[in-house]
């Protein structure tokens, strides 16, 4: 092998090593548990730490992350898949730094992709890995092929649930499917809409004990978001609650979640941000 060959090989290896974004997929068994509100606000918090964060609305068919962020765009993933525009044409940058890829709403076609179309979509989206630090996929509820494809890609699979028994049962079904599919990413649970951290801890413990006992797998505790009326107030105003009500309880929970996650994603140059300062209050 010549010097040139060796140098080229090293460059290729370093490209893989240093420039691949971490992928976080948010998913759930039951619908309406807070995936989209978490994905949008978490994305903004992570972007506030100086990381390049892209949120992909992967709820194919019933996308609404753009609605929650007050964004209106004529093009979405459907138009990329049908070849009308390129991925770069549909990326929207929120003024707070988060990049958003809108999904298609009301498009049965996107919800029912063929195997070939799904591979093409994943191939198109894989470009994001070299241009960002973190890619967040917000999926639809339930277990189907589209969702499991995004779960499969993830470094971190975040199963969102509330303490409601039906939501916990469905979260367990999702966890079971992910384990049976031998997903490579770390499986963690985010308890949303809890009334206290004691309630969150009790639910986390029950879920992780059952997972250990029946599936012989370890679940990680991503943390919790408190039930907070500011969340729905902000949604009604089409604004993210971490920006609209940065001092509400849910915002503190979200910032602490982002700080925890952000620690695992290295930046070329660490920036001290408001988030890190807030995070210091928690640790
Ligand atoms: N921490 C919270 N406190 C109060 N209300 C909340 C909280 N989290 C979510 N909600 C409420 O739950 C609703 C559903 O949230 P969201 O749309 O994010 O769920 P989802 O899991 O994405 O739903 P779907 O499965 O339909 O995609 C929100 O409109 C909001 O009113
Ligand atoms: Mg949603």
């Amino acid at each position: 092998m010549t010097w040139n060959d060796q140098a080229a090989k090293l460059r290729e290896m370093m490209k893989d090593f240093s420039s691949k974004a971490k992928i976080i997929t948010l998913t759930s068994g039951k619908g309406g548990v807070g995936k989209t509100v978490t994905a949008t606000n978490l994305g903004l918090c992570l972007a506030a730490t100086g990381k390049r964060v892209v949120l992909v609305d992967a709820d194919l068919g019933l996308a609404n992350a753009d609605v929650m962020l007050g964004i209106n765009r004529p093009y979405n993933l459907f138009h990329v898949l049908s070849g009308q525009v390129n991925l770069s044409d549909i990326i929207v940058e929120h003024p707070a730094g988060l990049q958003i890829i809108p999904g298609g709403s009301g498009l049965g076609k996107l919800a029912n992709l063929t195997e070939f179309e799904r591979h093409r979509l994943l191939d198109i989206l894989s470009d994001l890995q070299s241009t960002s630090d973190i890619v967040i996929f917000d999926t639809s509820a339930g277990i189907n092929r589209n969702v499991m494809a995004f779960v499969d890609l993830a470094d971190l699979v975040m199963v969102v649930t509330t303490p409601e028994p039906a939501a916990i049962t469905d979260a367990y079904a999702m966890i079971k499917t992910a384990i049976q599919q031998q997903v490579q990413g770390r499986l963690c649970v985010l308890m949303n809409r809890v009334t206290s951290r004691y309630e969150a801890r009790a639910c986390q413990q029950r879920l992780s004990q059952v997972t250990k006992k029946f599936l012989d797998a370890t679940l990680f505790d991503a943390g919790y978001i408190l039930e907070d009326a500011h969340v729905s107030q902000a949604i009604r105003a089409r604004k993210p609650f971490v920006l609209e009500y940065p001092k509400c309880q849910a915002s503190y929970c979200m910032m602490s979640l982002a700080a925890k996650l952000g620690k695992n994603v290295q930046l070329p140059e660490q920036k001290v941000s408001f988030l890190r300062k807030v995070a210091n209050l928690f640790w």
Side-chain angles (χ1 to χ4, degrees):
M1 199 186 265
T2 67
W3 257 109
N4 267 348
D5 291 340
Q6 282 178 346
K9 194 167 177 205
L10 183 62
R11 265 198 306 276
E12 200 49 45
M13 282 165 69
M14 287 312 292
K15 198 171 97 205
D16 262 14
F17 189 76
S18 61
S19 65
K20 278 215 165 149
K22 289 272 179 258
I23 299 178
I24 304 173
T25 295
L26 277 90
T27 187
S28 73
K30 189 172 181 293
V33 291
K35 294 176 298 297
T36 304
V37 76
T38 301
T40 48
N41 287 276
L42 176 64
L44 284 163
C45 287
L46 287 168
T49 66
K51 294 186 173 73
R52 296 169 303 168
V53 187
V54 187
L55 166 64
V56 181
D57 195 338
D59 186 343
L60 306 174
L62 285 174
N64 55 9
D66 52 345
V67 179
M68 278 198 196
L69 288 164
I71 287 166
N72 263 325
R73 280 294 185 278
Y75 295 116
N76 56 47
L77 276 178
F78 173 76
H79 302 98
V80 177
L81 202 55
S82 60
Q84 296 173 54
V85 290
N86 293 322
L87 187 64
S88 56
D89 299 325
I90 65 162
I91 298 182
V92 188
E93 181 149 343
H94 187 276
L98 173 67
Q99 299 206 307
I100 300 123
I101 299 195
S105 214
L107 298 164
K109 178 90 185 76
L110 263 190
N112 301 302
L113 297 180
T114 62
E115 200 65 30
F116 174 75
E117 288 168 328
R118 192 165 28 253
H119 278 137
R120 237 195 74 170
L121 180 64
L122 296 179
D123 192 35
I124 292 167
L125 291 173
S126 69
D127 283 353
L128 297 173
Q129 273 210 288
S130 51
T131 52
S132 45
D133 300 311
I134 300 173
V135 181
I136 302 176
F137 289 115
D138 173 28
T139 70
S140 59
I143 302 161
N144 62 54
R145 281 175 185 226
N146 282 347
V147 170
M148 294 319 286
F150 291 111
V151 166
D152 240 359
L153 280 183
D155 296 296
L156 186 75
V157 180
M158 190 179 288
V159 180
V160 183
T161 181
T162 66
E164 258 183 54
I168 300 253
T169 308
D170 292 354
Y172 179 72
M174 168 56 80
I175 291 162
K176 187 172 172 184
T177 307
I179 290 168
Q180 284 169 345
Q181 245 191 50
Q182 301 184 323
V183 298
Q184 298 298 306
R186 213 172 221 242
L187 270 175
C188 68
V189 173
L190 179 71
M191 263 318 144
N192 188 24
R193 309 194 72 164
V194 293
T195 49
S196 69
R197 69 185 153 116
Y198 305 105
E199 183 184 35
R201 194 176 302 152
C203 292
Q204 288 275 7
Q205 274 173 359
R206 244 177 294 138
L207 205 44
S208 72
Q209 277 163 6
V210 174
T211 305
K212 187 85 216 149
K213 185 168 171 193
F214 296 107
L215 305 172
D216 193 25
T218 306
L219 264 191
F220 294 89
D221 179 349
Y224 64 92
I225 313 285
L226 288 165
E227 169 77 30
D228 188 333
H230 294 99
V231 174
S232 43
Q233 276 171 34
I235 289 174
R236 277 198 290 274
R238 296 186 66 187
K239 303 245 169 75
F241 68 81
V242 287
L243 296 180
E244 194 71 348
Y245 307 107
K247 291 185 177 165
C248 75
Q249 286 188 315
S251 289
Y252 280 110
C253 295
M254 196 56 79
M255 289 178 200
S256 98
L257 171 66
K260 222 168 48 170
L261 293 178
K263 270 189 195 158
N264 297 322
V265 181
Q266 294 298 317
L267 273 183
E269 218 175 86
Q270 283 289 347
K271 292 184 188 167
V272 178
S273 64
F274 85 96
L275 180 60
R276 195 158 292 281
K277 287 179 198 151
V278 174
N280 288 340
L281 299 175
F282 287 85
W283 274 278

